[in-house]
Amino acid sequence: MYTYIAKVNRVIDADTMVVIIDLGFSVQIKETIRVLNYNAPEIFKPKTPLEKLSGLAAKAKAQTILEGKEIQIQTKKKDKYGRYLAT
């Protein structure tokens, strides 16, 4: 498991975000990460209209809390969509 400092660039939905990861020595990369062990309501392929509304509310809350903030992440591997799984 690897630990990094990252800045949240954009929240895609409440459990997926784009971050700029500081690799050290003035090297940074932009990656999409998914929060491990957290499943937010779907926005893009919801099963019901209520799920989409819940997903949008969860995204708005995550944006308020996380966008523009520095966070510490731990990553292991990528998921089937190419996102790093992070805690």
Side-chain angles (χ1 to χ4, degrees):
M1 189 171 286
Y2 302 98
T3 302
Y4 302 100
I5 299 297
K7 184 174 182 179
V8 179
N9 187 9
R10 180 171 67 97
V11 173
I12 296 171
D13 62 23
D15 59 7
T16 307
M17 59 199 74
V18 177
V19 296
I20 300 170
I21 302 171
D22 184 355
L23 300 175
F25 300 104
S26 300
V27 177
Q28 298 177 336
I29 60 168
K30 187 185 279 189
E31 288 288 341
T32 301
I33 63 167
R34 183 176 187 290
V35 179
L36 196 58
N37 300 321
Y38 178 68
N39 189 24
E42 292 297 325
I43 295 173
F44 302 105
K45 292 185 181 177
K47 293 183 176 106
T48 66
L50 181 59
E51 182 180 26
K52 183 168 184 160
L53 288 175
S54 298
L56 291 170
K59 176 183 177 177
K61 185 69 170 180
Q63 286 174 314
T64 300
I65 295 169
L66 296 170
E67 272 190 352
K69 304 284 187 341
E70 278 194 357
I71 59 174
Q72 180 175 315
I73 60 171
Q74 291 183 326
T75 63
K76 272 188 173 180
K77 60 181 179 176
K78 289 186 175 186
D79 66 5
K80 65 182 181 180
Y81 302 106
R83 305 171 296 191
Y84 279 98
L85 300 173
T87 54

